[in-house]
Amino acid sequence: MASPQNPESPRLAYREPPLTEILSCFICKDKPKDHRMCPNCSKLFCKNCIQAKLHKLQKCPSCKIPLIKDALVECRFLKPLIEYFEVAKDQDLDFIEKCSIHNTELGYYCITCSQAICADCAILTTTHKGHNFERLSSIYQVHHDLITKELVLLKDRIEELTDTLAEIDLKIKIIDKKALEHKGKLSLALDSMQERLDFQLQESLQGLYDIKEQVYEEISSLEQILEKVEHKNSRESEISVIKTSASLLKEIKDASEKPCKEFEILNLMPEFYSELAPEYIGSIFIVHDYKKLKSEKEIIFSEHLCVNTTVWRLKIYPNGNGAARGNYISIFLELVKGRRESIKYEYKIEMINHNNSDMDLSREFMSDFEEGECWGYNRFFRLDLLEEEGYIDSLGCLVIKYYVRPFGYIQLVQDQKDYISHLIKKKDLTEKKVQELTLKLQNYENIPITPQKSQEINEGTLRKSYIEIDSAKIDKINIESQIPPHHADQQINLPDFTED
């Protein structure tokens, strides 16, 4: 006996078990045709549905575990089982939802109350008096059609994502293959570089070994003469020594004054050029009378170093910068002119020791430079040790070498392309100017100009044009080197890459 309930709320006499869903195709949601089952999750599929899916992506649509066609289980027993349940459903009245008050079938739907009711509720009670009714089957069909329509969209979306997943897997395979091929090429390139390096090393060492053998022969020859003379001088009689003295002295003199072979050792010192990174391009900056400049100037700039389309210079704080002021010399490399975007460059700064070259101080780093930006070292070296340790010579000179190079050959090629493009534009402008001046000259003189005369005028004008351009550049550099850059105040607390 059921417990009392709200008469307005219909009671579900018996919930239909989800057999329809269990025994339906997981893909099309319809009665399976030629049943196939996943051996991992036991989901059912139509044969055509699952084979079409596995053709695109070899994974179960339900459990996502890898699956191939041959692994599908054929379920012959399901067809009679499904037919049995369909017959049982039609014959068993307990599958019908009933009203909890009148125990009759819920055949109507009260739109006003949004509630399923029976015919007695609609006619005999006053609860739903004046409400709008529809047959339950009609309302069900509307909702069923809406859900079915959305399910179609959902299936299409799943299908689209499945195709996208297949494309991603394909691209992953292609990328992996290309990366593997590139690794193979890199490996071959490195092996080739190693072979060239070994050959260069062996060639240089062989030359030194040959010279070493010649030196040994020279020493051996001199030692034989030395042994011979010492033997006669110490072992033979006094008279014999006196008699042979003149010849012995001549032999010693000839051996001593014999011109030594010139061994070209320096020419055999190889330069092992890197095939992985471009060579450094650098310049030397000599700071004269450093002590005086230290007290007079806050910042010292070097001359410009032009590398393709980039222009660089050293920026030195002789008395230190920021927190290092008064204790360390601060040295930075500034990109005066270059690209607007941030580009990675490697740079090296060396401070020369005038007493011992082994004590030359070198700092090397890599940074992202933008036009007008500085990178370097706040604490490059202690001020109180500069002169004491030999970095300032007797004339008060401080010598600093600085180098810069692009990060890799790809960037070097791009810089060179930009520089070539710059030169072509400059050449075109100069030729245009030459043509204009030639026409003006022809109009002024009002005389015909022969091809030979035109060539002479063009060459002369071109030389003059380049002289004017170079003179203007020199004047501009001289002016800029006397004033700090516009961003100098922003560089007071530049990063320090040195260890305390």
Side-chain angles (χ1 to χ4, degrees):
M1 189 79 180
S3 60
Q5 306 231 350
N6 186 344
E8 307 246 347
S9 302
R11 176 178 62 85
L12 183 63
Y14 181 75
R15 287 277 181 194
E16 178 183 352
L19 290 173
T20 305
E21 179 182 348
I22 295 173
L23 298 176
S24 299
C25 173
F26 182 79
I27 298 173
C28 68
K29 306 300 180 185
D30 206 348
K31 187 186 350 181
K33 298 175 183 178
D34 200 356
H35 307 79
R36 293 292 185 272
M37 184 174 71
C38 172
N40 301 304
C41 63
S42 300
K43 289 291 183 182
L44 294 176
F45 309 95
C46 298
K47 179 180 178 181
N48 292 337
C49 291
I50 187 62
Q51 287 186 352
K53 284 287 183 183
L54 294 180
H55 180 70
K56 295 181 179 178
L57 187 66
Q58 294 187 342
K59 289 183 181 180
C60 174
S62 173
C63 62
K64 307 303 181 186
I65 295 176
L67 181 64
I68 58 176
K69 296 178 183 179
D70 294 341
L72 292 170
V73 179
E74 184 177 0
C75 304
R76 297 176 181 175
F77 67 90
L78 279 177
K79 185 176 181 181
L81 183 63
I82 291 174
E83 291 176 353
Y84 170 79
F85 277 114
E86 287 178 347
V87 172
K89 178 181 177 182
D90 293 336
Q91 295 176 351
D92 194 346
L93 296 177
D94 285 340
F95 280 91
I96 300 174
E97 296 182 13
K98 295 182 179 182
C99 177
S100 59
I101 299 174
H102 303 103
N103 198 28
T104 57
E105 180 183 357
L106 297 172
Y108 295 89
Y109 189 82
C110 179
I111 298 175
T112 306
C113 300
S114 299
Q115 181 181 350
I117 60 175
C118 66
D120 292 343
C121 289
I123 299 172
L124 302 179
T125 64
T126 59
T127 305
H128 301 280
K129 186 177 180 180
H131 291 184
N132 294 325
F133 305 108
E134 289 283 350
R135 284 193 174 276
L136 185 64
S137 59
S138 300
I139 299 297
Y140 162 77
Q141 191 62 44
V142 171
H143 286 273
H144 179 271
D145 291 345
L146 287 174
I147 293 173
T148 302
K149 183 178 179 181
E150 293 300 321
L151 284 176
V152 171
L153 296 176
L154 184 60
K155 290 177 183 177
D156 292 342
R157 179 60 178 163
I158 293 173
E159 189 79 18
E160 181 183 346
L161 291 175
T162 303
D163 293 341
T164 302
L165 192 61
E167 290 179 8
I168 292 173
D169 288 339
L170 179 61
K171 288 187 181 296
I172 289 173
K173 291 180 180 179
I174 293 173
I175 291 172
D176 286 340
K177 183 179 179 181
K178 287 185 176 180
L180 190 61
E181 291 175 356
H182 193 60
K183 286 180 181 178
K185 292 179 181 178
L186 287 177
S187 179
L188 291 174
L190 289 174
D191 290 343
S192 178
M193 291 179 192
Q194 185 67 46
E195 288 178 3
R196 286 193 290 272
L197 180 62
D198 291 342
F199 177 77
Q200 187 180 4
L201 175 63
Q202 188 62 35
E203 192 177 44
S204 301
L205 291 179
Q206 187 60 48
L208 290 173
Y209 289 145
D210 293 341
I211 293 175
K212 186 177 180 180
E213 185 66 27
Q214 295 175 21
V215 173
Y216 273 134
E217 292 175 359
E218 186 84 14
I219 293 173
S220 177
S221 175
L222 294 175
E223 285 179 344
Q224 289 177 5
I225 295 173
L226 177 65
E227 184 180 356
K228 172 184 173 183
V229 173
E230 284 183 341
H231 178 77
K232 289 187 176 181
N233 192 40
S234 60
R235 299 292 180 89
E236 294 187 0
S237 63
E238 296 175 352
I239 297 174
S240 177
V241 171
I242 294 172
K243 288 182 179 180
T244 58
S245 175
S247 62
L248 292 176
L249 289 172
K250 185 177 183 305
E251 190 173 1
I252 294 171
K253 185 176 181 181
D254 291 343
S256 301
E257 295 179 353
K258 180 181 178 181
C260 294
K261 293 182 179 178
E262 293 183 1
F263 304 108
E264 297 181 357
I265 300 176
L266 294 178
N267 294 335
L268 292 175
M269 294 301 291
E271 289 289 342
F272 295 106
Y273 295 107
S274 172
E275 295 186 50
L276 300 175
E279 292 299 311
Y280 273 117
I281 298 176
S283 182
I284 300 177
F285 181 34
I286 301 177
V287 183
H288 298 281
D289 203 353
Y290 178 80
K291 291 182 179 179
K292 182 179 179 182
L293 290 176
K294 178 183 172 184
S295 59
E296 292 180 353
K297 292 190 176 183
E298 182 179 357
I299 304 175
I300 305 172
F301 294 100
S302 71
E303 294 182 354
H304 287 183
L305 170 64
C306 298
V307 182
N308 293 319
T309 54
T310 59
V311 180
W312 306 83
R313 68 178 177 183
L314 278 183
K315 182 178 182 180
I316 300 176
Y317 292 81
N319 202 36
N321 173 56
R325 188 174 182 81
N327 297 312
Y328 291 85
I329 179 174
S330 303
I331 304 178
F332 301 94
L333 182 65
E334 179 184 8
L335 177 58
V336 180
K337 182 179 179 182
R339 297 189 199 171
R340 296 295 181 184
E341 69 272 16
S342 179
I343 303 293
K344 195 179 295 294
Y345 284 93
E346 293 182 68
Y347 57 96
K348 180 168 62 174
I349 301 175
E350 293 182 354
M351 190 164 64
I352 305 303
N353 190 289
H354 298 280
N355 299 332
N356 185 356
S357 60
D358 292 336
M359 292 181 64
D360 289 349
L361 182 60
S362 178
R363 303 286 178 88
E364 191 170 2
F365 208 76
M366 179 172 58
S367 302
D368 292 320
F369 282 88
E370 293 181 9
E371 188 175 291
E373 190 173 18
C374 297
W375 285 96
Y377 308 89
N378 263 331
R379 302 178 180 181
F380 192 85
F381 197 75
R382 284 174 53 179
L383 291 171
D384 57 339
L385 298 178
L386 281 174
E387 187 172 7
E388 179 182 335
E389 297 197 3
Y391 293 101
I392 298 178
D393 65 8
S394 58
L395 299 177
C397 294
L398 180 72
V399 179
I400 298 175
K401 297 180 179 180
Y402 61 102
Y403 308 86
V404 66
R405 67 182 177 189
F407 179 66
Y409 281 101
I410 294 178
Q411 186 182 326
L412 174 61
V413 170
Q414 185 60 51
D415 287 350
Q416 290 174 339
K417 285 182 178 179
D418 293 343
Y419 187 53
I420 291 171
S421 177
H422 166 75
L423 292 177
I424 291 173
K425 290 179 180 178
K426 183 177 178 182
K427 174 179 173 292
D428 292 342
L429 288 173
T430 305
E431 288 179 347
K432 183 178 179 181
K433 186 175 181 181
V434 169
Q435 291 176 0
E436 291 174 356
L437 292 174
T438 303
L439 290 174
K440 285 183 179 181
L441 182 62
Q442 186 176 3
N443 292 332
Y444 288 150
E445 296 182 352
N446 197 21
I447 57 173
I449 298 178
T450 63
Q452 182 179 0
K453 184 69 175 178
S454 177
Q455 183 178 0
E456 292 174 359
I457 293 173
N458 287 344
E459 291 175 353
T461 309
L462 189 61
R463 285 195 297 271
K464 182 179 179 182
S465 176
Y466 278 118
I467 291 171
E468 290 174 353
I469 292 172
D470 293 339
S471 300
K473 283 186 177 179
I474 293 170
D475 293 338
K476 185 179 179 181
I477 291 171
N478 291 336
I479 293 172
E480 288 180 348
S481 62
Q482 296 173 7
I483 59 173
H486 65 279
H487 61 280
D489 294 338
Q490 301 173 2
Q491 303 297 334
I492 295 302
N493 294 316
L494 288 168
D496 188 0
F497 297 108
T498 63
E499 296 182 359
D500 294 334

